Amino acid sequence: DAMVIQNPRYQVTQFGKPVTLSCSQTLNHNVMYWYQQKSSQAPKLLFHYYDKDFNNEADTPDNFQSRRPNTSFCFLDIRSPGLGDAAMYLCATSRDRGPETAKNIQYFGAGTRLSVL
Amino acid sequence: RKEVEQDPGPFNVPEGATVAFNCTYSNSASQSFFWYRQDCRKEPKLLMSVYSSGNEDGRFTAQLNRASQYISLLIRDSKLSDSATYLCVVNLIGSQGNLIFGKGTKLSVKP
């Protein structure tokens, strides 16, 4: 059974129309991450939550926001999608963070593929 | 210098071949190392963690050389189902332990 679930699997939106992607987890992990991955590129971390503590990456555009209302759920909001935001968006979780290997293994959801028309 | 560097490939090998992937990382203080596998248009999945002593899981062997800041993955007796992109992943000390992904090495195993 999937432990990190992303919905929807495919999302089509119009240029400038806000869109929300969702992620839920059954692992009870402390940390939830959002990545953007474009074709033939490495996943790029956008931000993560450590419990309720939000941590934004320095180069993440303001157009991207996130919410984590409880341990299980995390949302990615794209306020005004541009053509360049078309990508696979991956949610991941880890038990904890820091140097200890076992605790920072990340488990990924199947991703949401976003198309912007 | 990029934080995690991998040969992008593609590596095209016949079934049964042995193939080795290499990865270098720039942050000497990194402490966690992983190989992830990503199938086309799917999510990354953990293949194995990499420890200083080296570790083996069936046909897969991972090695870490801290002095050279080098990680390797060896796949023996390649199967068609091994075709995927293999991502080298390293944690980034000083950034709350966030993981940094290499771009991946693409492997194609042919009959």
Side-chain angles (χ1 to χ4, degrees):
Chain A
D1 289 336
M3 296 177 289
V4 183
I5 302 161
Q6 291 187 244
N7 285 303
R9 291 294 308 278
Y10 301 92
Q11 176 74 56
V12 181
T13 190
Q14 291 179 329
F15 184 94
K17 185 175 181 181
V19 66
T20 295
L21 310 182
S22 75
C23 177
S24 63
Q25 55 132 338
T26 59
L27 298 164
N28 203 34
H29 280 175
N30 283 327
V31 196
M32 295 187 77
Y33 307 81
W34 279 104
Y35 290 87
Q36 179 193 66
Q37 188 177 28
K38 297 186 176 180
S39 182
S40 300
Q41 295 185 20
K44 179 183 181 300
L45 182 64
L46 296 173
F47 26 59
H48 76 275
Y49 272 95
Y50 181 74
D51 195 12
K52 297 179 183 178
D53 182 28
F54 177 70
N55 299 271
N56 200 28
E57 292 300 297
D59 58 354
T60 298
D62 292 341
N63 196 28
F64 293 89
Q65 304 284 321
S66 186
R67 296 169 282 136
R68 189 179 186 186
N70 53 53
T71 301
S72 301
F73 285 87
C74 196
F75 299 98
L76 170 62
D77 299 308
I78 308 176
R79 294 193 298 188
S80 181
L83 298 178
D85 297 328
M88 172 81 97
Y89 289 88
L90 294 161
C91 174
T93 73
S94 66
R95 184 151 51 101
D96 210 309
R97 64 184 185 189
E100 193 176 332
T101 297
K103 289 184 178 178
N104 62 27
I105 293 172
Q106 292 188 16
Y107 299 88
F108 285 82
T112 295
R113 187 165 294 278
L114 177 69
S115 298
V116 181
L117 303 179
Chain B
R1 183 180 171 187
K2 293 178 184 174
E3 289 166 330
V4 179
E5 289 201 68
Q6 296 182 250
D7 182 340
F11 283 44
N12 297 308
V13 303
E15 261 187 300
T18 295
V19 61
F21 302 137
N22 303 318
C23 170
T24 57
Y25 60 95
S26 60
N27 189 328
S28 60
S30 297
Q31 295 187 8
S32 296
F33 309 91
F34 308 93
W35 284 102
Y36 275 75
R37 170 197 169 124
Q38 187 170 25
D39 291 278
C40 187
R41 300 175 74 85
K42 297 284 183 70
E43 75 275 22
K45 292 184 178 177
L46 179 69
L47 180 66
M48 56 201 309
S49 304
V50 188
Y51 300 101
S52 296
S53 55
N55 44 304
E56 187 174 312
D57 182 3
R59 297 182 292 109
F60 299 85
T61 301
Q63 296 279 351
L64 167 64
N65 184 322
R66 286 186 184 272
S68 301
Q69 295 177 212
Y70 169 94
I71 307 159
S72 66
L73 176 68
L74 185 76
I75 305 176
R76 291 181 299 278
D77 188 24
S78 301
K79 311 291 184 191
L80 297 177
S81 57
D82 293 334
S83 297
T85 295
Y86 290 83
L87 301 166
C88 176
V89 185
V90 174
N91 81 326
L92 184 61
I93 295 295
S95 182
Q96 302 158 327
N98 287 340
L99 300 184
I100 302 298
F101 288 77
K103 284 190 174 182
T105 299
K106 187 172 182 179
L107 172 66
S108 182
V109 182
K110 306 290 187 185

PDB file of all heavy atoms in Angstrom, chain B residues 52-77:
ATOM      1  N   SER B  52      30.340   3.374   5.058  1.00  0.00           N
ATOM      2  CA  SER B  52      31.797   3.390   4.877  1.00  0.00           C
ATOM      3  C   SER B  52      32.370   1.994   4.684  1.00  0.00           C
ATOM      4  O   SER B  52      33.353   1.813   3.963  1.00  0.00           O
ATOM      5  CB  SER B  52      32.470   4.046   6.085  1.00  0.00           C
ATOM      6  OG  SER B  52      32.088   5.397   6.184  1.00  0.00           O
ATOM      7  N   SER B  53      31.744   1.033   5.306  1.00  0.00           N
ATOM      8  CA  SER B  53      32.251  -0.337   5.219  1.00  0.00           C
ATOM      9  C   SER B  53      31.858  -1.011   3.914  1.00  0.00           C
ATOM     10  O   SER B  53      32.284  -2.118   3.627  1.00  0.00           O
ATOM     11  CB  SER B  53      31.707  -1.148   6.394  1.00  0.00           C
ATOM     12  OG  SER B  53      30.300  -1.067   6.423  1.00  0.00           O
ATOM     13  N   GLY B  54      31.056  -0.317   3.122  1.00  0.00           N
ATOM     14  CA  GLY B  54      30.551  -0.930   1.899  1.00  0.00           C
ATOM     15  C   GLY B  54      29.395  -1.840   2.236  1.00  0.00           C
ATOM     16  O   GLY B  54      29.317  -2.392   3.334  1.00  0.00           O
ATOM     17  N   ASN B  55      28.465  -1.965   1.340  1.00  0.00           N
ATOM     18  CA  ASN B  55      27.346  -2.852   1.618  1.00  0.00           C
ATOM     19  C   ASN B  55      26.834  -3.471   0.326  1.00  0.00           C
ATOM     20  O   ASN B  55      27.003  -2.910  -0.753  1.00  0.00           O
ATOM     21  CB  ASN B  55      26.227  -2.152   2.400  1.00  0.00           C
ATOM     22  CG  ASN B  55      25.891  -0.766   1.898  1.00  0.00           C
ATOM     23  OD1 ASN B  55      26.751   0.105   1.809  1.00  0.00           O
ATOM     24  ND2 ASN B  55      24.638  -0.562   1.577  1.00  0.00           N
ATOM     25  N   GLU B  56      26.239  -4.638   0.504  1.00  0.00           N
ATOM     26  CA  GLU B  56      25.808  -5.442  -0.632  1.00  0.00           C
ATOM     27  C   GLU B  56      24.372  -5.881  -0.408  1.00  0.00           C
ATOM     28  O   GLU B  56      23.955  -6.206   0.709  1.00  0.00           O
ATOM     29  CB  GLU B  56      26.725  -6.673  -0.734  1.00  0.00           C
ATOM     30  CG  GLU B  56      26.503  -7.530  -1.967  1.00  0.00           C
ATOM     31  CD  GLU B  56      27.545  -8.641  -2.065  1.00  0.00           C
ATOM     32  OE1 GLU B  56      28.741  -8.346  -1.912  1.00  0.00           O
ATOM     33  OE2 GLU B  56      27.148  -9.789  -2.267  1.00  0.00           O
ATOM     34  N   ASP B  57      23.608  -5.860  -1.496  1.00  0.00           N
ATOM     35  CA  ASP B  57      22.228  -6.345  -1.432  1.00  0.00           C
ATOM     36  C   ASP B  57      21.976  -7.122  -2.708  1.00  0.00           C
ATOM     37  O   ASP B  57      21.691  -6.537  -3.758  1.00  0.00           O
ATOM     38  CB  ASP B  57      21.258  -5.159  -1.306  1.00  0.00           C
ATOM     39  CG  ASP B  57      19.810  -5.609  -1.176  1.00  0.00           C
ATOM     40  OD1 ASP B  57      19.557  -6.831  -1.117  1.00  0.00           O
ATOM     41  OD2 ASP B  57      18.927  -4.739  -1.119  1.00  0.00           O
ATOM     42  N   GLY B  58      22.130  -8.432  -2.625  1.00  0.00           N
ATOM     43  CA  GLY B  58      21.950  -9.261  -3.813  1.00  0.00           C
ATOM     44  C   GLY B  58      22.967  -8.917  -4.886  1.00  0.00           C
ATOM     45  O   GLY B  58      24.177  -8.971  -4.663  1.00  0.00           O
ATOM     46  N   ARG B  59      22.484  -8.508  -6.033  1.00  0.00           N
ATOM     47  CA  ARG B  59      23.377  -8.189  -7.159  1.00  0.00           C
ATOM     48  C   ARG B  59      23.969  -6.790  -7.067  1.00  0.00           C
ATOM     49  O   ARG B  59      24.762  -6.397  -7.928  1.00  0.00           O
ATOM     50  CB  ARG B  59      22.578  -8.324  -8.461  1.00  0.00           C
ATOM     51  CG  ARG B  59      22.054  -9.731  -8.744  1.00  0.00           C
ATOM     52  CD  ARG B  59      21.310  -9.803 -10.065  1.00  0.00           C
ATOM     53  NE  ARG B  59      20.066  -9.056 -10.058  1.00  0.00           N
ATOM     54  CZ  ARG B  59      19.872  -7.923 -10.723  1.00  0.00           C
ATOM     55  NH1 ARG B  59      20.847  -7.399 -11.463  1.00  0.00           N
ATOM     56  NH2 ARG B  59      18.697  -7.307 -10.679  1.00  0.00           N
ATOM     57  N   PHE B  60      23.588  -6.039  -6.077  1.00  0.00           N
ATOM     58  CA  PHE B  60      23.992  -4.637  -5.962  1.00  0.00           C
ATOM     59  C   PHE B  60      25.017  -4.466  -4.839  1.00  0.00           C
ATOM     60  O   PHE B  60      24.812  -4.943  -3.724  1.00  0.00           O
ATOM     61  CB  PHE B  60      22.772  -3.759  -5.673  1.00  0.00           C
ATOM     62  CG  PHE B  60      21.734  -3.803  -6.755  1.00  0.00           C
ATOM     63  CD1 PHE B  60      20.776  -4.807  -6.774  1.00  0.00           C
ATOM     64  CD2 PHE B  60      21.719  -2.855  -7.759  1.00  0.00           C
ATOM     65  CE1 PHE B  60      19.812  -4.860  -7.779  1.00  0.00           C
ATOM     66  CE2 PHE B  60      20.768  -2.893  -8.764  1.00  0.00           C
ATOM     67  CZ  PHE B  60      19.818  -3.897  -8.771  1.00  0.00           C
ATOM     68  N   THR B  61      26.103  -3.741  -5.166  1.00  0.00           N
ATOM     69  CA  THR B  61      27.125  -3.450  -4.159  1.00  0.00           C
ATOM     70  C   THR B  61      27.433  -1.961  -4.196  1.00  0.00           C
ATOM     71  O   THR B  61      27.681  -1.404  -5.262  1.00  0.00           O
ATOM     72  CB  THR B  61      28.413  -4.232  -4.434  1.00  0.00           C
ATOM     73  OG1 THR B  61      28.133  -5.628  -4.421  1.00  0.00           O
ATOM     74  CG2 THR B  61      29.469  -3.918  -3.378  1.00  0.00           C
ATOM     75  N   ALA B  62      27.400  -1.329  -3.034  1.00  0.00           N
ATOM     76  CA  ALA B  62      27.707   0.093  -2.940  1.00  0.00           C
ATOM     77  C   ALA B  62      28.981   0.275  -2.125  1.00  0.00           C
ATOM     78  O   ALA B  62      29.212  -0.437  -1.147  1.00  0.00           O
ATOM     79  CB  ALA B  62      26.549   0.838  -2.293  1.00  0.00           C
ATOM     80  N   GLN B  63      29.785   1.228  -2.556  1.00  0.00           N
ATOM     81  CA  GLN B  63      31.032   1.532  -1.855  1.00  0.00           C
ATOM     82  C   GLN B  63      31.127   3.035  -1.628  1.00  0.00           C
ATOM     83  O   GLN B  63      30.656   3.826  -2.443  1.00  0.00           O
ATOM     84  CB  GLN B  63      32.245   1.091  -2.683  1.00  0.00           C
ATOM     85  CG  GLN B  63      32.354  -0.409  -2.914  1.00  0.00           C
ATOM     86  CD  GLN B  63      32.957  -1.131  -1.735  1.00  0.00           C
ATOM     87  OE1 GLN B  63      33.444  -0.501  -0.792  1.00  0.00           O
ATOM     88  NE2 GLN B  63      32.909  -2.454  -1.769  1.00  0.00           N
ATOM     89  N   LEU B  64      31.772   3.401  -0.522  1.00  0.00           N
ATOM     90  CA  LEU B  64      31.989   4.810  -0.201  1.00  0.00           C
ATOM     91  C   LEU B  64      33.473   5.004   0.085  1.00  0.00           C
ATOM     92  O   LEU B  64      34.055   4.260   0.869  1.00  0.00           O
ATOM     93  CB  LEU B  64      31.156   5.190   1.034  1.00  0.00           C
ATOM     94  CG  LEU B  64      31.465   6.527   1.706  1.00  0.00           C
ATOM     95  CD1 LEU B  64      31.170   7.688   0.762  1.00  0.00           C
ATOM     96  CD2 LEU B  64      30.667   6.657   2.997  1.00  0.00           C
ATOM     97  N   ASN B  65      34.060   5.999  -0.542  1.00  0.00           N
ATOM     98  CA  ASN B  65      35.448   6.370  -0.271  1.00  0.00           C
ATOM     99  C   ASN B  65      35.442   7.821   0.205  1.00  0.00           C
ATOM    100  O   ASN B  65      35.356   8.751  -0.604  1.00  0.00           O
ATOM    101  CB  ASN B  65      36.293   6.214  -1.534  1.00  0.00           C
ATOM    102  CG  ASN B  65      37.775   6.504  -1.285  1.00  0.00           C
ATOM    103  OD1 ASN B  65      38.114   7.402  -0.520  1.00  0.00           O
ATOM    104  ND2 ASN B  65      38.636   5.745  -1.924  1.00  0.00           N
ATOM    105  N   ARG B  66      35.500   8.002   1.524  1.00  0.00           N
ATOM    106  CA  ARG B  66      35.395   9.354   2.072  1.00  0.00           C
ATOM    107  C   ARG B  66      36.602  10.204   1.697  1.00  0.00           C
ATOM    108  O   ARG B  66      36.467  11.398   1.447  1.00  0.00           O
ATOM    109  CB  ARG B  66      35.268   9.303   3.597  1.00  0.00           C
ATOM    110  CG  ARG B  66      33.910   8.839   4.075  1.00  0.00           C
ATOM    111  CD  ARG B  66      33.833   8.972   5.592  1.00  0.00           C
ATOM    112  NE  ARG B  66      32.592   8.458   6.113  1.00  0.00           N
ATOM    113  CZ  ARG B  66      31.482   9.181   6.230  1.00  0.00           C
ATOM    114  NH1 ARG B  66      31.474  10.449   5.843  1.00  0.00           N
ATOM    115  NH2 ARG B  66      30.390   8.649   6.724  1.00  0.00           N
ATOM    116  N   ALA B  67      37.762   9.605   1.649  1.00  0.00           N
ATOM    117  CA  ALA B  67      38.973  10.381   1.338  1.00  0.00           C
ATOM    118  C   ALA B  67      38.883  10.998  -0.056  1.00  0.00           C
ATOM    119  O   ALA B  67      39.293  12.136  -0.281  1.00  0.00           O
ATOM    120  CB  ALA B  67      40.201   9.489   1.454  1.00  0.00           C
ATOM    121  N   SER B  68      38.333  10.237  -0.975  1.00  0.00           N
ATOM    122  CA  SER B  68      38.216  10.721  -2.356  1.00  0.00           C
ATOM    123  C   SER B  68      36.861  11.352  -2.640  1.00  0.00           C
ATOM    124  O   SER B  68      36.627  11.851  -3.743  1.00  0.00           O
ATOM    125  CB  SER B  68      38.439   9.562  -3.338  1.00  0.00           C
ATOM    126  OG  SER B  68      39.704   8.986  -3.140  1.00  0.00           O
ATOM    127  N   GLN B  69      35.951  11.300  -1.645  1.00  0.00           N
ATOM    128  CA  GLN B  69      34.595  11.846  -1.803  1.00  0.00           C
ATOM    129  C   GLN B  69      33.929  11.221  -3.020  1.00  0.00           C
ATOM    130  O   GLN B  69      33.449  11.921  -3.924  1.00  0.00           O
ATOM    131  CB  GLN B  69      34.641  13.378  -1.866  1.00  0.00           C
ATOM    132  CG  GLN B  69      35.121  13.972  -0.552  1.00  0.00           C
ATOM    133  CD  GLN B  69      35.270  15.479  -0.569  1.00  0.00           C
ATOM    134  OE1 GLN B  69      36.126  16.032   0.102  1.00  0.00           O
ATOM    135  NE2 GLN B  69      34.449  16.160  -1.328  1.00  0.00           N
ATOM    136  N   TYR B  70      33.893   9.913  -2.973  1.00  0.00           N
ATOM    137  CA  TYR B  70      33.492   9.129  -4.131  1.00  0.00           C
ATOM    138  C   TYR B  70      32.586   7.988  -3.669  1.00  0.00           C
ATOM    139  O   TYR B  70      32.836   7.341  -2.662  1.00  0.00           O
ATOM    140  CB  TYR B  70      34.799   8.606  -4.745  1.00  0.00           C
ATOM    141  CG  TYR B  70      34.699   7.565  -5.806  1.00  0.00           C
ATOM    142  CD1 TYR B  70      34.680   7.927  -7.142  1.00  0.00           C
ATOM    143  CD2 TYR B  70      34.695   6.215  -5.479  1.00  0.00           C
ATOM    144  CE1 TYR B  70      34.642   6.952  -8.127  1.00  0.00           C
ATOM    145  CE2 TYR B  70      34.653   5.241  -6.456  1.00  0.00           C
ATOM    146  CZ  TYR B  70      34.636   5.625  -7.783  1.00  0.00           C
ATOM    147  OH  TYR B  70      34.606   4.668  -8.757  1.00  0.00           O
ATOM    148  N   ILE B  71      31.517   7.786  -4.436  1.00  0.00           N
ATOM    149  CA  ILE B  71      30.568   6.708  -4.141  1.00  0.00           C
ATOM    150  C   ILE B  71      30.408   5.883  -5.414  1.00  0.00           C
ATOM    151  O   ILE B  71      30.415   6.443  -6.518  1.00  0.00           O
ATOM    152  CB  ILE B  71      29.198   7.283  -3.753  1.00  0.00           C
ATOM    153  CG1 ILE B  71      29.330   8.305  -2.628  1.00  0.00           C
ATOM    154  CG2 ILE B  71      28.229   6.192  -3.330  1.00  0.00           C
ATOM    155  CD1 ILE B  71      28.137   9.241  -2.551  1.00  0.00           C
ATOM    156  N   SER B  72      30.250   4.596  -5.253  1.00  0.00           N
ATOM    157  CA  SER B  72      30.063   3.757  -6.433  1.00  0.00           C
ATOM    158  C   SER B  72      28.897   2.797  -6.219  1.00  0.00           C
ATOM    159  O   SER B  72      28.505   2.501  -5.087  1.00  0.00           O
ATOM    160  CB  SER B  72      31.338   2.970  -6.748  1.00  0.00           C
ATOM    161  OG  SER B  72      31.601   2.045  -5.721  1.00  0.00           O
ATOM    162  N   LEU B  73      28.358   2.351  -7.335  1.00  0.00           N
ATOM    163  CA  LEU B  73      27.317   1.317  -7.331  1.00  0.00           C
ATOM    164  C   LEU B  73      27.666   0.309  -8.403  1.00  0.00           C
ATOM    165  O   LEU B  73      27.904   0.681  -9.553  1.00  0.00           O
ATOM    166  CB  LEU B  73      25.943   1.920  -7.616  1.00  0.00           C
ATOM    167  CG  LEU B  73      24.790   0.924  -7.721  1.00  0.00           C
ATOM    168  CD1 LEU B  73      24.501   0.279  -6.370  1.00  0.00           C
ATOM    169  CD2 LEU B  73      23.526   1.595  -8.259  1.00  0.00           C
ATOM    170  N   LEU B  74      27.729  -0.948  -8.007  1.00  0.00           N
ATOM    171  CA  LEU B  74      28.038  -2.032  -8.940  1.00  0.00           C
ATOM    172  C   LEU B  74      26.810  -2.918  -9.074  1.00  0.00           C
ATOM    173  O   LEU B  74      26.231  -3.329  -8.065  1.00  0.00           O
ATOM    174  CB  LEU B  74      29.217  -2.852  -8.413  1.00  0.00           C
ATOM    175  CG  LEU B  74      29.746  -3.957  -9.329  1.00  0.00           C
ATOM    176  CD1 LEU B  74      30.561  -3.339 -10.457  1.00  0.00           C
ATOM    177  CD2 LEU B  74      30.605  -4.946  -8.545  1.00  0.00           C
ATOM    178  N   ILE B  75      26.425  -3.178 -10.301  1.00  0.00           N
ATOM    179  CA  ILE B  75      25.307  -4.086 -10.559  1.00  0.00           C
ATOM    180  C   ILE B  75      25.862  -5.281 -11.321  1.00  0.00           C
ATOM    181  O   ILE B  75      26.420  -5.131 -12.417  1.00  0.00           O
ATOM    182  CB  ILE B  75      24.192  -3.406 -11.394  1.00  0.00           C
ATOM    183  CG1 ILE B  75      23.724  -2.125 -10.716  1.00  0.00           C
ATOM    184  CG2 ILE B  75      23.024  -4.375 -11.584  1.00  0.00           C
ATOM    185  CD1 ILE B  75      22.680  -1.343 -11.524  1.00  0.00           C
ATOM    186  N   ARG B  76      25.704  -6.448 -10.738  1.00  0.00           N
ATOM    187  CA  ARG B  76      26.165  -7.679 -11.397  1.00  0.00           C
ATOM    188  C   ARG B  76      24.985  -8.369 -12.063  1.00  0.00           C
ATOM    189  O   ARG B  76      23.828  -8.226 -11.645  1.00  0.00           O
ATOM    190  CB  ARG B  76      26.783  -8.630 -10.363  1.00  0.00           C
ATOM    191  CG  ARG B  76      28.102  -8.155  -9.778  1.00  0.00           C
ATOM    192  CD  ARG B  76      28.644  -9.173  -8.773  1.00  0.00           C
ATOM    193  NE  ARG B  76      27.734  -9.359  -7.646  1.00  0.00           N
ATOM    194  CZ  ARG B  76      27.694  -8.551  -6.601  1.00  0.00           C
ATOM    195  NH1 ARG B  76      28.510  -7.528  -6.529  1.00  0.00           N
ATOM    196  NH2 ARG B  76      26.860  -8.797  -5.621  1.00  0.00           N
ATOM    197  N   ASP B  77      25.291  -9.138 -13.116  1.00  0.00           N
ATOM    198  CA  ASP B  77      24.270  -9.935 -13.792  1.00  0.00           C
ATOM    199  C   ASP B  77      23.038  -9.088 -14.112  1.00  0.00           C
ATOM    200  O   ASP B  77      21.916  -9.389 -13.659  1.00  0.00           O
ATOM    201  CB  ASP B  77      23.900 -11.141 -12.911  1.00  0.00           C
ATOM    202  CG  ASP B  77      22.994 -12.120 -13.617  1.00  0.00           C
ATOM    203  OD1 ASP B  77      22.992 -12.144 -14.865  1.00  0.00           O
ATOM    204  OD2 ASP B  77      22.261 -12.860 -12.915  1.00  0.00           O
TER     205      ASP B  77
END
